[in-house]
Amino acid sequence: MYLITILPLSHNPQTDELSYFSKIPYETGAFVIAPLGKQKLTGLVLKSTSLLEEKQSIKDAPFEMRKLPEQKPISILKTIDVYQKMAGYHLVSLNYILRHTLPYEYLSQETNAHAIPSNKKTSVEVLQTKESERITQYKSLVRSAFSQQQSVIIIVPTVHQTSFWHDALKKGIESVAMKITSEQTQKVRDESLKTIQQSAHPLLIITTPYYFPVLLQKKHILILEHESSSYYRDHISKLHMNDITIALAQRTSERVIMGDTLLSTEALYLEQKRIYQQYLQLQWPEKEITTRVVPRPKDRDYELFSKELHSFLEKAIQSKKKIILYGVRNGLATLTKCQTCQATLSCDSCTTPLVLVTRPEGRVFRCSTCHTTYPATKPCQQCGSGYLLPFGAGTETIETEIQN
């Protein structure tokens, strides 16, 4: 007999571990179905130990343990140590990390992940050059990988970019090029995953980082394309999908390549320290961009557009030049803070900061991650106060200012 310790996959990030008796041991990282009261839940096996080793702790337990029904695991998380390290790095629970980074499909596919060596750590290569050159390099890399029976997975931050890169790279290999996105139906994604599992030919797969964990069955090269704030899964814990994607890729990929027109400061720093390697010599943008910060005079009333910006826009319009105005976030205000406890108003489901937006029925708060909406009268979830104040100017506010 064995004592099985299970972590329930729950929306409560502080969910305690559960213990069960079992006739057979289960591999650490196995997903199983466990009884809890009259319900059943999906749980992650953290460890299996002999009852003889845990005899005293069982006697001292203040509760009676139930038996875990004998079963075949739904799937096995071979890289559980990566998620445990990420949980420690971000100071959050393992349950929290899994809930934010493991897609539903991971719990519905058969256990067929290839063996992952525990001591493997693939180095990261960086490619900084213009987009057209990266497309050329990626096409060459795909041909080389296919000749060595390796698939190529390209991770991009948004669904829109999956279509762009799929169209840019699929010529001549349409039958083995595919994309997996959240905009596809569950049926389409399931069929794509089935094709990936059964295909004997290497594939080109373009997807967002959320679906990377379900693609680890095949021998592959990973390309992480384009830095973006879209990689953030949670703005409170600063859980960045790049971190976990690179950590997983270094354990599972044959090569890891980060590409962009201008790499992040962190990536450039790691390249300078020789922690990351150059794929090609770094190329810098040819055209110099002049950036000028115009301070607001303290004795002037607040204006969204300063007089200097008004003058610049008028000159640009008269010269028939194109203008792009960037806003930090959509909506009327970038975030809303409670004036009683200073907490940021966030989504009850995924903790993303809420954005105040305009809808036909009036103003509402909207989550940019899970798209849940809340009435504008929503109180602070920390202290219950209704004394809330929006900060910043979203794209709707900027658009209104332009129209006026």
Side-chain angles (χ1 to χ4, degrees), residues 144-158:
S144 174
F146 280 11
S147 69
Q148 299 176 51
Q149 290 299 303
Q150 295 175 348
S151 294
V152 176
I153 302 174
I154 299 182
I155 304 289
V156 295
T158 64

PDB file of all heavy atoms in Angstrom, residues 144-158:
ATOM      1  N   SER A 144      16.220  23.019 -42.664  1.00  0.00           N
ATOM      2  CA  SER A 144      17.293  22.289 -41.994  1.00  0.00           C
ATOM      3  C   SER A 144      16.738  21.347 -40.927  1.00  0.00           C
ATOM      4  O   SER A 144      17.174  20.196 -40.808  1.00  0.00           O
ATOM      5  CB  SER A 144      18.280  23.274 -41.363  1.00  0.00           C
ATOM      6  OG  SER A 144      19.255  22.612 -40.600  1.00  0.00           O
ATOM      7  N   ALA A 145      15.764  21.841 -40.162  1.00  0.00           N
ATOM      8  CA  ALA A 145      15.170  21.024 -39.098  1.00  0.00           C
ATOM      9  C   ALA A 145      14.432  19.826 -39.671  1.00  0.00           C
ATOM     10  O   ALA A 145      14.554  18.703 -39.164  1.00  0.00           O
ATOM     11  CB  ALA A 145      14.224  21.882 -38.256  1.00  0.00           C
ATOM     12  N   PHE A 146      13.674  20.036 -40.744  1.00  0.00           N
ATOM     13  CA  PHE A 146      12.932  18.940 -41.370  1.00  0.00           C
ATOM     14  C   PHE A 146      13.879  17.847 -41.866  1.00  0.00           C
ATOM     15  O   PHE A 146      13.580  16.657 -41.782  1.00  0.00           O
ATOM     16  CB  PHE A 146      12.086  19.462 -42.525  1.00  0.00           C
ATOM     17  CG  PHE A 146      10.794  20.117 -42.091  1.00  0.00           C
ATOM     18  CD1 PHE A 146      10.551  20.408 -40.759  1.00  0.00           C
ATOM     19  CD2 PHE A 146       9.817  20.445 -43.025  1.00  0.00           C
ATOM     20  CE1 PHE A 146       9.368  21.006 -40.347  1.00  0.00           C
ATOM     21  CE2 PHE A 146       8.624  21.044 -42.635  1.00  0.00           C
ATOM     22  CZ  PHE A 146       8.403  21.327 -41.289  1.00  0.00           C
ATOM     23  N   SER A 147      15.041  18.258 -42.385  1.00  0.00           N
ATOM     24  CA  SER A 147      16.001  17.269 -42.887  1.00  0.00           C
ATOM     25  C   SER A 147      16.558  16.407 -41.766  1.00  0.00           C
ATOM     26  O   SER A 147      17.055  15.297 -41.999  1.00  0.00           O
ATOM     27  CB  SER A 147      17.146  17.969 -43.620  1.00  0.00           C
ATOM     28  OG  SER A 147      17.957  18.707 -42.714  1.00  0.00           O
ATOM     29  N   GLN A 148      16.483  16.914 -40.516  1.00  0.00           N
ATOM     30  CA  GLN A 148      16.963  16.170 -39.358  1.00  0.00           C
ATOM     31  C   GLN A 148      15.802  15.587 -38.543  1.00  0.00           C
ATOM     32  O   GLN A 148      15.979  15.205 -37.397  1.00  0.00           O
ATOM     33  CB  GLN A 148      17.799  17.085 -38.463  1.00  0.00           C
ATOM     34  CG  GLN A 148      19.022  17.656 -39.155  1.00  0.00           C
ATOM     35  CD  GLN A 148      19.769  18.633 -38.273  1.00  0.00           C
ATOM     36  OE1 GLN A 148      20.088  18.345 -37.126  1.00  0.00           O
ATOM     37  NE2 GLN A 148      20.058  19.810 -38.811  1.00  0.00           N
ATOM     38  N   GLN A 149      14.610  15.541 -39.171  1.00  0.00           N
ATOM     39  CA  GLN A 149      13.411  14.984 -38.531  1.00  0.00           C
ATOM     40  C   GLN A 149      13.035  15.733 -37.250  1.00  0.00           C
ATOM     41  O   GLN A 149      12.590  15.148 -36.260  1.00  0.00           O
ATOM     42  CB  GLN A 149      13.597  13.498 -38.228  1.00  0.00           C
ATOM     43  CG  GLN A 149      13.617  12.606 -39.465  1.00  0.00           C
ATOM     44  CD  GLN A 149      12.300  12.706 -40.250  1.00  0.00           C
ATOM     45  OE1 GLN A 149      11.219  12.447 -39.705  1.00  0.00           O
ATOM     46  NE2 GLN A 149      12.391  13.095 -41.515  1.00  0.00           N
ATOM     47  N   GLN A 150      13.220  17.057 -37.266  1.00  0.00           N
ATOM     48  CA  GLN A 150      12.852  17.901 -36.134  1.00  0.00           C
ATOM     49  C   GLN A 150      11.725  18.841 -36.548  1.00  0.00           C
ATOM     50  O   GLN A 150      11.765  19.435 -37.631  1.00  0.00           O
ATOM     51  CB  GLN A 150      14.049  18.725 -35.660  1.00  0.00           C
ATOM     52  CG  GLN A 150      15.184  17.897 -35.095  1.00  0.00           C
ATOM     53  CD  GLN A 150      16.393  18.762 -34.755  1.00  0.00           C
ATOM     54  OE1 GLN A 150      16.473  19.922 -35.136  1.00  0.00           O
ATOM     55  NE2 GLN A 150      17.342  18.199 -34.024  1.00  0.00           N
ATOM     56  N   SER A 151      10.733  18.978 -35.698  1.00  0.00           N
ATOM     57  CA  SER A 151       9.672  19.955 -35.926  1.00  0.00           C
ATOM     58  C   SER A 151      10.163  21.338 -35.494  1.00  0.00           C
ATOM     59  O   SER A 151      11.161  21.461 -34.768  1.00  0.00           O
ATOM     60  CB  SER A 151       8.417  19.575 -35.140  1.00  0.00           C
ATOM     61  OG  SER A 151       7.860  18.369 -35.633  1.00  0.00           O
ATOM     62  N   VAL A 152       9.447  22.370 -35.923  1.00  0.00           N
ATOM     63  CA  VAL A 152       9.761  23.744 -35.522  1.00  0.00           C
ATOM     64  C   VAL A 152       8.500  24.355 -34.914  1.00  0.00           C
ATOM     65  O   VAL A 152       7.437  24.358 -35.545  1.00  0.00           O
ATOM     66  CB  VAL A 152      10.235  24.602 -36.713  1.00  0.00           C
ATOM     67  CG1 VAL A 152      10.459  26.045 -36.267  1.00  0.00           C
ATOM     68  CG2 VAL A 152      11.512  24.017 -37.312  1.00  0.00           C
ATOM     69  N   ILE A 153       8.615  24.844 -33.692  1.00  0.00           N
ATOM     70  CA  ILE A 153       7.502  25.510 -33.007  1.00  0.00           C
ATOM     71  C   ILE A 153       7.849  26.985 -32.890  1.00  0.00           C
ATOM     72  O   ILE A 153       8.907  27.336 -32.357  1.00  0.00           O
ATOM     73  CB  ILE A 153       7.263  24.907 -31.615  1.00  0.00           C
ATOM     74  CG1 ILE A 153       6.968  23.403 -31.709  1.00  0.00           C
ATOM     75  CG2 ILE A 153       6.119  25.632 -30.901  1.00  0.00           C
ATOM     76  CD1 ILE A 153       6.876  22.710 -30.363  1.00  0.00           C
ATOM     77  N   ILE A 154       6.972  27.843 -33.384  1.00  0.00           N
ATOM     78  CA  ILE A 154       7.179  29.288 -33.288  1.00  0.00           C
ATOM     79  C   ILE A 154       6.138  29.859 -32.335  1.00  0.00           C
ATOM     80  O   ILE A 154       4.928  29.706 -32.540  1.00  0.00           O
ATOM     81  CB  ILE A 154       7.084  29.968 -34.663  1.00  0.00           C
ATOM     82  CG1 ILE A 154       8.165  29.413 -35.603  1.00  0.00           C
ATOM     83  CG2 ILE A 154       7.224  31.484 -34.524  1.00  0.00           C
ATOM     84  CD1 ILE A 154       8.179  30.045 -36.970  1.00  0.00           C
ATOM     85  N   ILE A 155       6.612  30.502 -31.274  1.00  0.00           N
ATOM     86  CA  ILE A 155       5.732  31.107 -30.274  1.00  0.00           C
ATOM     87  C   ILE A 155       5.641  32.600 -30.546  1.00  0.00           C
ATOM     88  O   ILE A 155       6.657  33.293 -30.645  1.00  0.00           O
ATOM     89  CB  ILE A 155       6.277  30.886 -28.850  1.00  0.00           C
ATOM     90  CG1 ILE A 155       6.477  29.396 -28.563  1.00  0.00           C
ATOM     91  CG2 ILE A 155       5.359  31.525 -27.823  1.00  0.00           C
ATOM     92  CD1 ILE A 155       5.216  28.617 -28.411  1.00  0.00           C
ATOM     93  N   VAL A 156       4.419  33.119 -30.681  1.00  0.00           N
ATOM     94  CA  VAL A 156       4.192  34.556 -30.888  1.00  0.00           C
ATOM     95  C   VAL A 156       3.221  35.041 -29.814  1.00  0.00           C
ATOM     96  O   VAL A 156       2.466  34.255 -29.249  1.00  0.00           O
ATOM     97  CB  VAL A 156       3.627  34.848 -32.296  1.00  0.00           C
ATOM     98  CG1 VAL A 156       4.647  34.484 -33.362  1.00  0.00           C
ATOM     99  CG2 VAL A 156       2.332  34.089 -32.534  1.00  0.00           C
ATOM    100  N   PRO A 157       3.224  36.348 -29.496  1.00  0.00           N
ATOM    101  CA  PRO A 157       2.427  36.821 -28.363  1.00  0.00           C
ATOM    102  C   PRO A 157       0.927  36.905 -28.590  1.00  0.00           C
ATOM    103  O   PRO A 157       0.155  36.812 -27.642  1.00  0.00           O
ATOM    104  CB  PRO A 157       3.012  38.208 -28.069  1.00  0.00           C
ATOM    105  CG  PRO A 157       3.664  38.632 -29.330  1.00  0.00           C
ATOM    106  CD  PRO A 157       4.136  37.384 -29.997  1.00  0.00           C
ATOM    107  N   THR A 158       0.475  37.081 -29.831  1.00  0.00           N
ATOM    108  CA  THR A 158      -0.956  37.298 -30.066  1.00  0.00           C
ATOM    109  C   THR A 158      -1.489  36.380 -31.160  1.00  0.00           C
ATOM    110  O   THR A 158      -0.733  35.882 -32.000  1.00  0.00           O
ATOM    111  CB  THR A 158      -1.234  38.758 -30.489  1.00  0.00           C
ATOM    112  OG1 THR A 158      -0.596  39.014 -31.746  1.00  0.00           O
ATOM    113  CG2 THR A 158      -0.718  39.747 -29.439  1.00  0.00           C
TER     114      THR A 158
END
